[in-house]
Every structure is written in structure tokens, then in C-alpha cells.
Amino acid sequence: MSICNKKTLLCLAVSGSLFSVSYAANANDHHDHNHHDGEHHESEHRHHDAHVHGVVETNIAQDGDHLLFEITAPGADVVGFEHAPKDDAQKQVLANAVKTLNNPNLIFTLPENAKCTFEEAHVSHNLVNHNDHDEHDHDHDHDHDHDHHDGEHHKEHGKHGEFSAQYEYHCEAISNLDQIETQWFTHFPHTHKMTIQYLGDAGQKAASLTPKSSVITL
């Protein structure tokens, strides 16, 4: 069972309440993806349309003593390709990436005095063969790909190779959560920037992290 099924309110906060701050940040930082966004998608899945190589999007929602992270990353940023593995080497790269993503302690560092305990991770991707339908979020994209080999437009608007990761923490002293540091760039050096949208007791915040500036102050 995914975290969103268990923490509906947090997920609504991530996908809904963060919309305005996410859109404001992306309007400045992601102007180069506008030509990819069909207007018929903009209001429905804005944060999934912002698929720009080198840019990873992270939403963070805090509710009481619960903390939820939601990451959306292009496949090229994580493994260097955006298709199903073509050989054993790529299969190994993919397996290693999934293993790393399933260990959020490798990805984020939270203040020790916030007493945050990792509880659950949910990692998925759509770098699968056309006849694999494990990734329910993208099945509708794969249903027709094998019938439209020349559908580059469809490929651009529905079949970006992508990773999604959700992490849930329980923090006994959430009031001490004053910053979050990421080691994402160390593990996935293809990424140039991580956009952060935060919603919690500290209010709404938006920031862009880079390899040289990897801490968000809350």
C-alpha cells in the first residue's frame, strides 16, 4: 500500500495546497519546458509536466509530527536514460538507483534534535518494457506506445522516463525541524537543480537547491 493511501491528508497537501507555490517557483525556474506543456494538461498535472532534464522536483508536507516527501525525477537524472534497460549494465544501474532511492537516509539529512524516524518509502518508475504494467501511474501511457512507433508527440507528452519516491517520517520534536539538507546531487550527479516546495507549520516555502547549495532553511 502506498503512503498516499495511508496519509491522504498529507498527500492532498503535497499535490493540492502546494500547487500555488510550486507554480510560482516553476514559472521562474522552468521557463524552458513551456513548449512541452499542452494546455489541456496544465491544470490537471502541472508538477508532472515540468519534466526538464537536470531538474528534480520535491514537495515536502508537514502535518503534526508527520513529515512526507514526494520526489519526481526524470530518468535521465537518476540513471542516465529514460527507457527500459537494454542490457545487463543498465539493469544494474537501475537496480542500484532503486536501492538508493529506497534509503532516504542517503538522500536527506534532518536535524538530530527533531528526532525524526524514517517509517516508510514508496519508490516507482516507468522505465519498463511495453508489456510490463507494474507502474500503475503510467499504464495508460504504455497502452498505445507499441502501436505508434512514430508518435514522437505522444512520447513527449506522456512517456517521459520518470522516477517517483515518497518518504514518510515521524518526528517527536517537529518544532526543531529548522532545515533539511540533501545529498541527492552526490548520488545522482546528472541533476543540476532540485526545486523544493514546503508546506507546514513554518508556512509555505519554495527554494532551488544545487550541488553547491544543498540546504533549505525552514
Side-chain angles (χ1 to χ4, degrees):
M1 178 180 294
S2 71
I3 295 173
C4 274
N5 288 336
K6 296 171 60 181
K7 299 292 179 183
T8 305
L9 291 178
L10 283 180
C11 290
L12 287 175
V14 168
S15 62
S17 298
L18 283 171
F19 171 84
S20 59
V21 73
S22 174
Y23 179 53
N26 290 337
N28 293 325
D29 295 333
H30 295 167
H31 63 278
D32 56 345
H33 80 271
N34 288 339
H35 65 285
H36 290 301
D37 289 345
E39 292 184 1
H40 60 289
H41 288 301
E42 283 187 341
S43 62
E44 184 177 1
H45 296 294
R46 171 136 5 229
H47 72 285
H48 288 299
D49 285 342
H51 181 104
V52 181
H53 293 180
V55 179
V56 170
E57 296 187 346
T58 300
N59 294 327
I60 307 171
Q62 177 255 321
D63 181 23
D65 55 6
H66 290 285
L67 191 66
L68 181 71
F69 291 74
E70 180 187 70
I71 302 173
T72 302
D77 282 46
V78 179
V79 293
F81 51 87
E82 295 198 347
H83 50 73
K86 295 181 178 180
D87 52 38
D88 289 341
Q90 289 189 344
K91 288 180 180 179
Q92 188 61 53
V93 170
L94 178 58
N96 290 342
V98 171
K99 182 178 180 179
T100 298
L101 289 172
N102 270 296
N103 188 351
N105 291 328
L106 297 176
I107 306 298
F108 295 105
T109 300
L110 307 178
E112 289 187 8
N113 60 354
K115 299 181 179 179
C116 296
T117 302
F118 165 64
E119 292 194 337
E120 187 177 354
H122 178 72
V123 177
S124 62
H125 63 83
N126 63 349
L127 277 66
V128 294
N129 292 321
H130 297 315
N131 59 348
D132 292 336
H133 297 287
D134 294 334
E135 310 304 328
H136 60 86
D137 288 340
H138 301 277
D139 281 353
H140 64 284
D141 294 329
H142 291 294
D143 286 342
H144 301 290
D145 285 346
H146 61 283
D147 294 327
H148 299 278
H149 297 291
D150 59 347
E152 288 300 319
H153 176 79
H154 179 270
K155 181 177 180 181
E156 282 297 314
H157 288 274
K159 193 180 174 300
H160 287 298
E162 192 169 78
F163 284 78
S164 176
Q166 294 177 337
Y167 307 134
E168 181 187 349
Y169 291 83
H170 175 266
C171 302
E172 295 182 11
I174 194 73
S175 61
N176 292 325
L177 184 71
D178 56 359
Q179 69 174 34
I180 298 173
E181 182 177 3
T182 185
Q183 290 76 44
W184 177 279
F185 302 102
T186 299
H187 299 288
F188 306 113
H190 292 293
T191 302
H192 302 139
K193 178 170 62 177
M194 173 182 280
T195 63
I196 303 285
Q197 290 87 42
Y198 169 86
L199 176 66
D201 290 344
Q204 292 187 358
K205 294 182 180 293
S208 294
L209 305 183
T210 66
K212 294 183 178 180
S213 179
S214 58
V215 178
I216 178 174
T217 301
L218 303 178

